[in-house]
Amino acid sequence: MKHSKEELSASQLAGLRIFSAGIVFIPFALFHFKKVNRQKIFIIIISGITGNLLPAFLFAKAIAENIDSSLASILNSLTPLFVVIIAITVFRDKIKVQKIIGVLTGFAGLILLFLSWRGISFDNFKFSLLILLATISYGININVVAHFLKQVNPLHIASISIGFMTIPTAFILWQQNFLHLSFNKTSVQWAIGEASALGIVGSAMATAIFYVLIKRTGSLFASLVTYAIPFVGIFWGIMDGEEITIRQVIGLGIILLGVYLVNKPGRRELKTEIKEAELAE
């Protein structure tokens, strides 16, 4: 996203990312469509909007306004905290005190992170909120899937939801004059290639692999991706010349401690996860 924004607007970048992912999934979506209860299709589309379309545009806008990719990846790790908050406030789920403490711990780390980030300003804070909105959208999607699509094959959800997103993103690309870009320009070709690769690998393939992981190992093991994302983002940020301070690393550590408390299962939950994983095998 950091490189593609040099030639593409935020809307073009996000639109091309999800459109590319959708194109990959269209053959699978057509094949799986007839296997899904028609009453679930609308909810699956909502899942595509909240789980892929809206976050892609929010992240692209934030990155376009020069938010560090390392900061974006750290903020992305707040997703499990918003999953819990939405479960409590919207779906009235019963949540253990441990998870509430985890949410509060995570937000304490978030505050420290904002206070310690270099060059913090109102504009930086404002555009960082776009990423927080994206994590809230992820939280909504996870709760929607958990409450309304529990009996639907996860791969069917992924292929149909993202496949449907080719329709709005094709319109957005047309409306944002994507076809008027200078396609013979090398820098534009690279920007399009990187945005498309992000969609195919980072959205389509990653989503499919993640859902397969959930099916084979259970959500407990799959949730470990939450801990990996910020470290991968920080690594690439450092490689791209971004600076990371010890206070920011401490802030990340506190956030991940909160995520750990939110995700930590009780003994009974752990046994259930293990049994489900064995049955999946």
Side-chain angles (χ1 to χ4, degrees):
M1 284 190 285
K2 283 184 65 177
H3 295 165
S4 294
K5 74 176 185 179
E6 301 301 326
E7 295 292 344
L8 303 176
S9 69
S11 296
Q12 291 172 339
L13 170 56
L16 181 58
R17 172 184 179 176
I18 302 302
F19 180 79
S20 300
I23 288 296
V24 171
F25 268 141
I26 279 181
F28 302 98
L30 294 175
F31 179 74
H32 292 148
F33 187 83
K34 59 184 179 181
K35 299 180 180 180
V36 177
N37 188 319
R38 296 297 179 267
Q39 296 178 345
K40 299 291 186 180
I41 295 298
F42 177 75
I43 300 176
I44 290 176
I45 293 175
I46 294 298
S47 174
I49 294 173
T50 57
N52 290 279
L53 185 65
L54 184 57
F57 280 86
L58 291 170
F59 267 95
K61 179 62 176 176
I63 295 295
E65 298 297 336
N66 293 319
I67 294 297
D68 286 349
S69 57
S70 50
L71 174 59
S73 63
I74 292 174
L75 293 176
N76 193 32
S77 65
L78 290 166
T79 297
L81 307 185
F82 285 114
V83 171
V84 172
I85 293 172
I86 293 168
I88 295 173
T89 58
V90 178
F91 293 94
R92 305 298 181 184
D93 289 352
K94 294 182 179 180
I95 304 296
K96 295 181 179 179
V97 174
Q98 169 192 297
K99 295 184 182 294
I100 296 176
I101 294 174
V103 170
L104 296 177
T105 302
F107 277 104
L110 174 63
I111 293 172
L112 176 61
L113 184 68
F114 273 131
L115 293 177
S116 64
W117 205 264
R118 61 179 178 80
I120 196 70
S121 66
F122 174 75
D123 284 339
N124 284 343
F125 179 75
K126 178 176 65 175
F127 292 117
S128 295
L129 289 179
L130 294 176
I131 298 176
L132 289 182
L133 287 175
T135 61
I136 292 173
S137 186
Y138 286 140
I140 293 172
N141 175 54
I142 292 172
N143 275 284
V144 166
V145 172
H147 286 84
F148 302 115
L149 299 175
K150 196 172 183 179
Q151 304 304 320
V152 181
N153 187 308
L155 289 179
H156 296 175
I157 299 173
S159 60
I160 295 174
S161 64
I162 299 180
F164 260 101
M165 293 304 105
T166 56
I167 299 173
T169 51
F171 175 78
I172 290 170
L173 289 173
W174 170 74
Q175 197 252 352
Q176 292 293 316
N177 296 316
F178 176 78
L179 296 178
H180 292 95
L181 292 174
S182 301
F183 294 105
N184 59 340
K185 190 177 176 182
T186 303
S187 58
V188 173
Q189 294 172 359
W190 272 104
I192 292 173
E194 288 180 312
S196 299
L198 176 62
I200 295 170
V201 179
S203 293
M205 290 179 61
T207 299
I209 292 171
F210 182 66
Y211 279 126
V212 169
L213 185 62
I214 291 176
K215 185 177 180 63
R216 291 179 62 86
T217 67
S219 60
L220 176 60
F221 183 80
S223 67
L224 293 177
V225 70
T226 303
Y227 302 95
I229 290 174
F231 291 104
V232 174
I234 288 175
F235 169 77
W236 285 112
I238 293 174
M239 294 293 290
D240 207 39
E242 297 177 5
E243 296 180 5
I244 307 296
T245 68
I246 186 63
R247 291 179 65 184
Q248 292 152 12
V249 173
I250 292 173
L252 169 61
I254 295 174
I255 290 174
L256 294 183
L257 173 60
V259 173
Y260 169 76
L261 293 174
V262 166
N263 283 338
K264 183 182 178 183
R267 189 171 299 177
R268 182 179 299 178
E269 292 174 309
L270 182 59
K271 289 181 179 179
T272 302
E273 287 279 4
I274 294 174
K275 186 175 181 180
E276 289 178 350
E278 289 175 347
L279 290 174
E281 287 292 333

